[in-house]
Amino acid sequence: MSSLFVLLPASRIGAQTELPYAVSADGRTVARQGVTQAALLPPASGAGGQVVLVAPAAALSWHRVELPKGVGPRSPRLRAVLEGLLEDRLLDEPDQVHFAIAPGAAAESAAWVAVCDRSWLREALQVFESAQRPVSRVVPEFAPEGSPAVYALGEADATQLVCAGEEGVLVLPLAAASLPLLPSLPEGTPVYAEPAAAAQAEQLLQHTPRIVGTADRLLLAGRTGWDLAQFEFSSSGRQRALKKLSAGWGDLLRAPQWRPARWGTALLVLVQLVGLNAWAWKERSSLADKRQAVRSVLTQTFPNVRAVVDPPVQMDREVAALRQLTGAPSGRDLETVLGVVANLAQGRSATGIDYNGSEVRLRGLAANENEARPIVQGLRTQGYSASLQGDTLVVRAEGQP
């Protein structure tokens, strides 16, 4: 699996625009990076692979609003409500801008709203669609979340100073005149700088910055929960669910923070397999012991049986032979069956009797099911099965086919 992270320009994008990009297998380490046109970008691949566009800080403005009662992220009135709340704060007409509300926003609570040029975002998405790089998410380069940090970005002739944290995102020129405009920051606020802006940032801020490359910042931006592709730029609910599921599955398979969970799952599966095999071995041993016990009963009771093939059938055959030898009656004998039926027939007598060694067919005892029911029920209690076929009562000992 590999995901592609691309930094958009603040100006309009075209098919020939050179775009910085980074490729990562886990969203945390850079596997490949560079600058190229959209059509030449490496594709995302594998389960959970996604194309993530990063909107630059200069292309976004941030506004904090209080959502009214009954209006949440899924409300059909949300855009109209945002237009009304932000109309006086926007430099452009509301129909020319695109809104994106913070993840987890709820009615009757404060929420951050990102605003950008609608046509700029539409053109960017169209360029990637034309390049066969369908976009999974659009995230901000910096979002109003987390602890505050200061970034010095850009080339030597076009540098920016960005202050980002849960109180907002502020973009200023990297110049001495911008310092009074910075908010009051806590002691030890980290300062980061791209290599081209590091010397200028150190001189201006009197603080040695940590060097961070563009590719690393793209991966960091991709970890946010924000997705600017909302309203008309949003995929269908099913597509978004599949994208989220695919991305989540990819994180589960690759991301370092899920490594303990992966090891735990693998260990659990291994324990289950060992347990199932142990249980199956125990069951097989128990079944083999029972079969051996049945064979032992047969061979000990009838020593003349040498080869044991089907113990129940052989046992039944030997018992029948012994009964015939001793003259003892059997429940399958005709006399025994007739005696049982006579006790249940209440004086009725059969007009015909057929016996084939395993079942007795008696005609004339019952004309219908109602008459036969007492006899059938009585025979069942004494170990016989019986059924009425026309005017013939068929009786067989239980266990006979």
Side-chain angles (χ1 to χ4, degrees), residues 34-384:
V35 179
T36 189
Q37 300 168 6
L40 302 178
L41 288 167
S45 62
Q50 53 182 330
V51 176
V52 180
L53 300 188
V54 180
L60 301 174
S61 63
W62 297 91
H63 307 273
R64 197 167 180 84
V65 299
E66 187 82 20
L67 294 179
K69 183 177 181 180
V71 178
R74 298 181 181 275
S75 173
R77 300 189 296 116
L78 179 59
R79 179 174 173 87
V81 169
L82 293 178
E83 288 181 359
L85 292 173
L86 297 174
E87 184 175 9
D88 296 337
R89 307 188 214 174
L90 299 176
L91 299 178
D92 298 315
E93 293 299 321
D95 60 348
Q96 297 178 353
V97 300
H98 170 67
F99 301 106
I101 195 164
E108 299 184 87
S109 64
W112 281 103
V113 177
V115 180
C116 67
D117 184 87
R118 180 185 290 184
S119 59
W120 169 80
L121 181 57
R122 181 184 296 111
E123 289 175 4
L125 295 175
Q126 289 173 349
V127 166
F128 279 82
E129 287 292 335
S130 300
Q132 303 298 313
R133 304 292 189 272
V135 176
S136 304
R137 297 169 61 211
V138 181
V139 301
E141 185 179 19
F142 301 99
E145 58 188 9
S147 301
V150 176
Y151 298 84
L153 312 175
E155 300 298 330
D157 57 345
T159 52
Q160 292 179 330
L161 186 65
V162 179
C163 181
E166 59 183 9
E167 295 301 321
V169 177
L170 182 63
V171 182
L172 300 167
L174 185 58
S178 300
L179 296 182
L181 302 177
L182 289 175
S184 178
L185 297 173
E187 185 79 19
T189 297
V191 177
Y192 302 92
E194 290 185 327
Q200 187 179 355
E202 183 175 5
Q203 181 180 2
L204 179 66
L205 302 175
Q206 298 298 304
H207 184 91
T208 303
R210 305 178 194 175
I211 303 300
V212 58
T214 302
D216 293 318
R217 287 196 303 102
L218 294 181
L219 267 56
L220 182 63
R223 297 176 206 164
T224 182
W226 278 84
D227 187 356
L228 303 181
Q230 301 179 20
F231 300 107
E232 72 265 36
F233 301 117
S234 174
S235 304
S236 68
R238 181 173 179 271
Q239 288 175 320
R240 293 179 69 82
L242 288 175
K243 288 179 182 178
K244 289 181 179 179
L245 181 61
S246 178
W249 179 246
D251 287 343
L252 183 61
L253 291 177
R254 303 281 185 174
Q257 66 268 29
W258 286 103
R259 187 175 292 113
R262 293 195 294 269
W263 278 104
T265 301
L267 182 60
L268 179 61
V269 171
L270 180 61
V271 170
Q272 292 293 328
L273 287 175
V274 172
L276 286 173
N277 278 279
W279 176 79
W281 176 83
K282 180 181 178 181
E283 290 297 313
R284 286 195 297 268
S285 298
S286 176
L287 183 59
D289 291 342
K290 292 178 181 178
R291 287 174 177 170
Q292 184 58 42
V294 172
R295 291 189 179 94
S296 298
V297 170
L298 175 62
T299 55
Q300 291 173 7
T301 306
F302 301 100
N304 59 308
V305 176
R306 302 298 181 187
V308 179
V309 179
D310 190 340
V313 173
Q314 290 176 278
M315 178 77 76
D316 188 64
R317 187 183 303 122
E318 293 297 326
V319 170
L322 182 61
R323 184 180 293 112
Q324 287 182 350
L325 184 63
T326 60
S330 168
R332 301 173 187 173
D333 292 343
L334 177 61
E335 294 82 357
T336 303
V337 176
L338 291 178
V340 173
V341 172
N343 291 333
L344 298 171
Q346 298 179 350
R348 284 175 286 179
S349 58
T351 59
I353 300 175
D354 290 326
Y355 177 62
N356 62 7
S358 62
E359 66 179 22
V360 181
R361 306 175 68 88
L362 304 170
R363 293 187 297 276
L365 279 181
N368 51 54
E369 292 288 344
N370 290 334
E371 292 183 5
R373 186 174 296 111
I375 302 176
V376 171
Q377 292 176 347
L379 287 169
R380 185 175 297 116
T381 61
Q382 299 191 46
Y384 296 91

